[in-house]
Each structure stands twice: as structure tokens, then as C-alpha cells.
Amino acid sequence: MALKIKDIQSPVANEMAEFEVKFRQSMKSNVMLLDKIMAYIVKRKGKQMRPLFVFLSAATTGQVSEASYRGASLIELLHTATLVHDDVVDDSTYRRGFFSVNALWKNKIAVLVGDFLLSRGMLLSIENEDFDLLKLVSVAIREMSEGELLQMEKAKKLDITEEVYYEVIRQKTASLIKACCAVGAASTGADPVTVQTMGEFGEKVGMAFQIKDDLFDYGTQEIGKPLGIDIREKKMTLPLIHALNQATSSEKNSIKRIIKRHSENTKKVNEVIDFVKEKQGLAYATDVMNTYHSDAIQMLKTFPDSPARQSLEQLVQFTIERSK
């Protein structure tokens, strides 16, 4: 039977409900336009995976505290700010099926909204002296920016190695889930070793999560991003990198030429997808994803068994079994 987020949430369902209230309060403003935009952002929230990682990590390593709520809010505020800014950079019109902030209120307002969210997150931590939590999340935001820039730099030459790919996704995706789990543990007053272990667990989950996302690019499931979008955007993901490593020089040159010159041609993009499948790129990436998954589960088992730990195990499983 397929795992459902609602069932996974059960050990911290009350905390998640209370978080909704506290998070809305943390986004309030005295400026009417800003309040209107904040209400719109809250309305289009996703599965709330990041706060769930925070609360389950806290409950696995200790007791959920007020600091746990503030930590979850800090991560959501800063992450939402990066998404608003990303939509401006990418000139995106939609986010999770809704119009993006920049599509409705233009770029200048969207950038200022992102700045407001960043400042609210930082002030929330500073006012409550949650400096350890702020440091964990600030490191993640820095790494996310570095990872994005590294990927953009390498996209020009299409020369990303497997090692560089892992570094990109570690920074771009895994760093934030790492921060969620480390913040959850730190918010309970856990010792530094426990915080580090929980953070490393989150990093493994984040790696598996991103590889799963990259696999969607070659599938047929409707997941909110078109088939082959990574190829069109000249992103070198693990299935493609592995396939190119198995190819002859002429095959490599041919595929790279398509990506560089014909990435808008659907027929040509499908040729790349077929090439990746033929060279076992999907099977290889799936194996790597499963290794990260099993490593994460082994790290989790170093903590005492509890309903929260069991739900964390299910959440890890959900990340690699999800269909969108």
C-alpha cells in the first residue's frame, strides 16, 4: 500500500497543526500589500515536508520544544524566500500549479518579498537567541546558492563529472534537508554528535530525493514538470552522466550537440532520453539512489525505536517511492 504523508505525520500531527498557526503569525506584516502576498504564499503551500523533517527529527532525538517551532518556521521562511527569488531569476510564471509571485506582482515586488521573508527568518532567530539554529540554516542557504552557481557554470560546457554532480545536488538539495534534521535535533538540546548524525542522515535523504527527481525527467508520470525539461535546460543529471560515460566518442559528441543546439526540439530530446535508457542510465541512478536510501536508514537505526523514528523511516521511503 502506498505511503501517505498524512499517515507519516501522525506522531507529530498536533505539532504540525500548531506550526501552521505559528508560521502564519511569523509572516504577518503591517503593510497591506505584503500581507496580501503572504496570505497568497501560505495558501499555495506544498506537502510541508521540511517542517515534518524538523518535528520528526526533534521527536526522535528528544522532545519537541518552542525552539522546534521556531526552527521549522526559520527554514520555511528562508526556503520560501529562495523560491520567490528563484522564480524571478528563472522568469517562472508558475510554482506548484499556482501563479508565481513575480507573475502576479512583477519582479521588483517579488524580490522585495523575498528580502522580507529572509529578514523575518533571521529576526525570529535573533530575537529568541536561536543562534545555533540560525547558523545551521544559514550554511544551507549559502550552499544552495553555491550549488546552483556551480551547476550553471558547468552547464555551459556540459562537462559535469559524476563527482561534481554529487557535489551540486549535495549543495542544492541535500543541504536543506540536512539543515531540517539538524535543526530538529538541536532544538531539543541534543548533544553535538547527535545533531551531526541527524544532519548526516538528512543529507543522505536529500541525495536520494534529488536523484529520484532527476529520474522523473525520463519517465512518463505527470509530476508538474514536463518530460525532458532537465535536458532542455542543459542540466547534466546522473542518468545522462552515466550514459555518456558508457558511450563512444562519436556518441558523446552527437548527444552533446543535440543538448547544445537542439534542446528545444522535442524529437531530438526524445533521442537523448532513448540514449540514456539504452545505456542503462536509469538503472544506474536508481541503484545509487537506493544506496543513499539504505545508508540513511542505517544511520536512523542508531537512534532508539519510537513512533517518530518509524515515521522518519517511512518519510525516507516516501521520498524514493513518490510519483511526483
Side-chain angles (χ1 to χ4, degrees), residues 72-168:
S73 292
L74 168 64
I75 284 173
E76 280 296 89
L77 285 164
L78 267 60
H79 180 58
T80 305
T82 64
L83 295 182
V84 171
H85 283 163
D86 281 351
D87 287 340
V88 173
V89 171
D90 297 336
D91 200 22
S92 297
T93 309
Y94 291 95
R95 167 74 62 177
R96 294 186 187 126
F98 291 86
F99 281 114
S100 59
V101 173
N102 53 297
L104 292 174
W105 288 282
K106 306 303 178 190
N107 285 348
K108 186 173 182 178
I109 288 175
V111 170
L112 293 170
V113 165
D115 293 346
F116 170 78
L117 290 165
L118 283 168
S119 67
R120 287 298 298 128
M122 288 187 284
L123 285 169
L124 179 65
S125 296
I126 291 166
E127 287 165 358
N128 291 280
E129 299 187 357
D130 295 326
F131 302 120
D132 54 341
L133 307 187
L134 182 57
K135 182 178 180 180
L136 288 167
V137 181
S138 296
V139 168
I141 299 298
R142 184 202 73 204
E143 293 213 318
M144 287 164 68
S145 302
E146 289 177 347
E148 192 73 53
L149 287 165
L150 176 60
Q151 186 174 54
M152 289 167 73
E153 175 194 327
K154 294 294 184 180
K156 292 177 185 175
K157 295 180 181 178
L158 300 181
D159 64 350
I160 291 186
T161 63
E162 202 167 315
E163 290 69 29
V164 172
Y165 165 80
Y166 293 135
E167 182 61 12
V168 166

Side-chain angles (χ1 to χ4, degrees), residues 275-286:
F275 162 79
V276 170
K277 290 177 178 177
E278 181 192 326
K279 296 293 184 183
Q280 301 298 307
L282 304 190
Y284 180 79
T286 301

Side-chain angles (χ1 to χ4, degrees), residues 51-64:
L52 184 54
F53 270 114
V54 173
F55 291 120
L56 286 176
S57 296
T60 296
T61 56
Q63 296 290 323
V64 172

Side-chain angles (χ1 to χ4, degrees), residues 43 100 128-129 181 206 259 266 290:
K43 186 177 75 174
S100 59
N128 291 280
E129 299 187 357
C181 298
I259 296 169
T266 300
N290 287 334

Side-chain angles (χ1 to χ4, degrees), residues 154 211 222 242 260 263:
K154 294 294 184 180
I211 295 171
E222 180 55 52
H242 177 76
K260 283 180 179 177
S263 60

Side-chain angles (χ1 to χ4, degrees), residues 165 169 173-174 177 201-215 285-286 288-294 296 316 319-322:
Y165 165 80
I169 69 169
T173 303
I177 300 180
F201 155 77
E203 186 172 277
K204 301 280 188 191
V205 177
M207 299 293 280
F209 181 94
Q210 185 57 55
I211 295 171
K212 177 68 173 180
D213 221 45
D214 293 343
L215 283 164
T286 301
V288 174
M289 177 187 72
N290 287 334
T291 297
Y292 277 116
H293 166 257
S294 59
V316 178
T319 63
I320 67 165
E321 288 183 355
R322 65 200 167 97

